[in-house]
Amino acid sequence: MPRSSETLTPPDGPTAPRSGGRLGATRPGGAPPAPPVGALLRRHRHAGEPLSCVPVAEGLLNRGFRLSTTRGTYFLKQHLDAPTADRATIARQHRATQRLHALGLPVAPPLPDATGRTVAVVDGHCYALHPWIDGRHRHGTQLSTGCSRRLGTLLGQVHTALDRVMEPSGPGGTPGTDDGGRASADLQDTFRAIDELIRLARAHRPRDSFDALAEHRLRERRRLLAQHAHHRPPPAAAAGWVHGDFHPLNLLYRGAEPAAIVDWDRLGVRPRAEEAVRAAAIFFVRPGGELALEKVRAYARAYRRATGADRAELAAAAHRVWWERLNDFWTLRWRYQLHDRRADPQFPAVSALAVWWTREYEAVSDAFAG
């Protein structure tokens, strides 16, 4: 299954999509060991004998392989991301995709082994075998207005279907996954983070154009935040089950139609409309940091129709995501604090979007809720 490179935490704009596979990033520390294919296929006797097992690219959070056997081709996933890599969490994700598949949604549930289990634990690591899905990733620039409308409908169908197949979230949601009452970003924390990142960017050697742009954007963002401090949003009022990481690299297309929504690692209880807004801000962002607002409008109207969400809910979600973007510097944290440059290509558009969105706030709000 050509799969996406999962986004980092917090999920934010992925790099440009590539068809037929994950992004080709390499984890620091050299090539990882090969997966225990023999042990895994002994559990999946129906899958045949191994012929080849090739990384489809190194994910940012997990690892994926194209596994060819005497009986077909499969996607082998190794779960590594600590918050979601335990057996119980993965099994819950698997049950969700099985139920969504039964409802007719385009997902690719894992294949059970001879005992009916979908998660195999070998040498302390969790693995899952999925069908291989041929497809392409499509960014918003490749989507017509009609396709944008269908995308909004699809995400709305996912949210309403999750309400049917998952246990009720209850007043407090599921432990560890409910962001419904989470306070929005605090400016004093953000200003401290900005000061630290500016210090690190100025000290970085060899200094290059990225460091200069980072320092410029950080100072610019500090001015914007000071100007708009009184617009800090309240906590979200409602939450429901969401995919958790819905963006172009987690959706495969065959032609104009979605073939599979993949990477359900972040399935959880969060504000649903905010996932819709975040997804639009990733799908429909242009290289210069602007949003294709006519496509956003078609997408948002379709999402509202599919879920019954009203305009006020989408407007509030757009406001919270705008504030979140203004206060978020995850790509720079990875570069300067984790010494990991895999997110560097995402920074120019992500940082420009926050500035453009602030300038065009009313037009963006109208596209989501008008």
Side-chain angles (χ1 to χ4, degrees), residues 314-335:
L314 266 292
H319 183 70
R320 282 179 56 83
V321 175
W322 163 75
W323 182 259
E324 175 185 282
R325 291 300 185 105
L326 275 183
N327 285 267
D328 184 33
F329 309 99
W330 71 274
T331 52
L332 297 184
R333 291 181 185 276
W334 272 66
R335 176 182 173 93

Side-chain angles (χ1 to χ4, degrees), residues 235-273:
W241 284 98
V242 298
H243 176 276
D245 205 13
F246 193 81
H247 60 68
L249 295 180
N250 282 341
L251 181 59
L252 289 164
Y253 279 86
R254 288 197 191 101
E257 296 302 322
I261 304 166
V262 299
D263 286 332
W264 291 78
D265 303 83
R266 298 189 177 208
L267 173 72
V269 178
R270 301 182 185 90
R272 297 193 311 181

